[in-house]
Amino acid sequence: MAYTYQSQMPDQQFLWDVFSRVDKDRSGFISADELQVALSNGTWSPFNPETVRLMIGMFDRENRGTVSFQDFGSLWKYVTDWQNCFRSFDRDNSGNIDQVELKTALTSFGYRLSDNLIEMLIRKFDRFGRGTILFDDFIQCCIVLYTLTSAFRQHDTDMDGVITIHYEQFLSMVFALKI
């Protein structure tokens, strides 16, 4: 996903202070539960556990289900970049993204999706049935969309937007994804 909302990496002391506060059990690693408590989606509701699991999976180099301090800086920068991205598309500063804002965001990422599919994404990632998605659900939506698109593109060798695969190929493709 190419967007231009890149933040700078904070200094190591700042990252260590944050890491130490988040690592409640002092294991030297941050678990999904610890990270969920530390993150804020801009509301009083907890950060989506599925989004946290996806992010841990992206930065967990040792497949332990945790993030080390070495990987924490990258995760911190990733969340910060997503916050900046989300804020830029939340045009009305409501703290959530509606259908029009989501279409604008995804179009700027290079996706050309129908209004029906955008509406389906809103329904899929709207945990509270309000017709909008929160920051953490926006991250999850974008990660899932990017992951599925990447898997599709591996089979779309002529880049025409059409693939022909057998059922087992489809299942293998989907079950191999980390989403």
Side-chain angles (χ1 to χ4, degrees):
M1 195 152 317
Y3 53 87
T4 58
Y5 310 98
Q6 300 288 315
S7 62
Q8 289 190 4
M9 185 71 80
D11 71 37
Q12 291 295 302
Q13 186 58 52
F14 173 82
L15 286 174
W16 179 251
D17 292 345
V18 173
F19 184 89
S20 298
R21 283 196 305 270
V22 174
D23 182 20
K24 296 288 186 200
D25 65 0
R26 303 286 178 248
S27 66
F29 295 91
I30 293 177
S31 69
D33 290 341
E34 289 170 326
L35 185 60
Q36 182 185 16
V37 170
L39 293 173
S40 168
N41 67 8
T43 70
W44 296 108
S45 61
F47 214 82
N48 184 333
E50 186 60 23
T51 305
V52 173
R53 185 190 67 75
L54 282 172
M55 290 190 312
I56 290 279
M58 291 171 73
F59 294 96
D60 175 17
R61 291 188 195 155
E62 291 138 27
N63 289 324
R64 298 172 52 144
T66 59
V67 175
S68 67
F69 176 68
Q70 289 83 349
D71 299 327
F72 181 69
S74 298
L75 186 142
W76 178 269
K77 183 178 182 321
Y78 183 79
V79 172
T80 302
D81 289 345
W82 273 115
Q83 275 181 324
N84 293 334
C85 176
F86 181 85
R87 287 183 185 131
S88 76
F89 291 110
D90 179 17
R91 299 272 190 233
D92 59 1
N93 293 318
S94 62
N96 52 55
I97 298 262
D98 64 23
Q99 189 169 338
V100 172
E101 292 166 331
L102 181 61
K103 183 165 188 155
T104 301
L106 295 180
T107 299
S108 78
F109 298 157
Y111 295 104
R112 289 180 303 280
L113 305 175
S114 70
D115 289 342
N116 287 341
L117 192 54
I118 299 289
E119 192 176 307
M120 183 184 293
L121 290 172
I122 291 282
R123 281 194 312 271
K124 169 83 176 150
F125 294 99
D126 174 13
R127 284 185 292 155
F128 300 105
R130 298 180 186 140
T132 59
I133 54 178
L134 298 171
F135 169 59
D136 49 344
D137 301 317
F138 176 70
I139 294 173
Q140 183 184 0
C141 174
C142 292
I143 291 171
V144 168
L145 188 58
Y146 176 79
T147 304
L148 290 171
T149 301
S150 296
F152 182 91
R153 283 186 177 152
Q154 288 179 350
H155 295 277
D156 186 14
T157 54
D158 59 359
M159 301 298 288
D160 68 352
V162 177
I163 63 173
T164 302
I165 58 175
H166 299 285
Y167 180 61
E168 284 206 15
Q169 286 176 297
F170 169 74
L171 291 177
S172 295
M173 181 177 78
V174 171
F175 288 132
L177 301 175
K178 282 183 113 180
I179 56 171

